[in-house]
């Protein structure tokens, strides 16, 4: 009994490991690539949002504290 593609039921050559035809392997690879691009875009969007949210806080609070710490270190 010949193996068949689990998506389109096309007969597969003997010895093919995954039960998917070459066409559907390509479709799956393309969808994986699109998912990767989507995840990267979400990551960049999260970083931009964090920068816009955290940036002013760091600028207002952390910079003066860092200046004071550097001044204290340089005095000693």
């Amino acid at each position: 009994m010949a193996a068949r593609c689990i998506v389109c039921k096309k007969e597969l050559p003997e010895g093919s490991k995954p039960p998917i035809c070459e066409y559907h392997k390509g479709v799956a690879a393309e969808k994986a690539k699109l998912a990767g691009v989507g995840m990267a875009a979400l990551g960049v969007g999260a970083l931009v949002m964090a920068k816009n949210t955290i940036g002013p806080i760091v600028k207002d609070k952390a910079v003066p504290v860092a200046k004071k710490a550097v001044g204290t270190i340089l005095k000693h």
Side-chain angles (χ1 to χ4, degrees):
M1 185 171 164
R4 295 191 174 270
C5 174
I6 59 173
V7 179
C8 65
K9 308 300 183 217
K10 178 180 171 184
E11 195 168 313
L12 299 172
E14 290 296 321
S16 58
K17 289 278 185 183
I20 301 172
C21 66
E22 291 299 317
Y23 172 77
H24 286 105
K25 282 182 196 175
V27 169
E30 194 64 32
K31 286 188 179 187
K33 191 186 332 178
L34 289 174
V37 169
M39 286 188 286
L42 281 174
V44 168
L47 287 174
V48 168
M49 282 179 45
K51 183 186 123 200
N52 290 339
T53 304
I54 296 171
I57 295 169
V58 169
K59 188 176 181 182
D60 293 340
K61 301 200 182 211
V63 173
V65 171
K67 282 182 184 177
K68 186 176 179 182
V70 169
T72 304
I73 292 169
L74 292 178
K75 285 182 186 175
H76 289 54

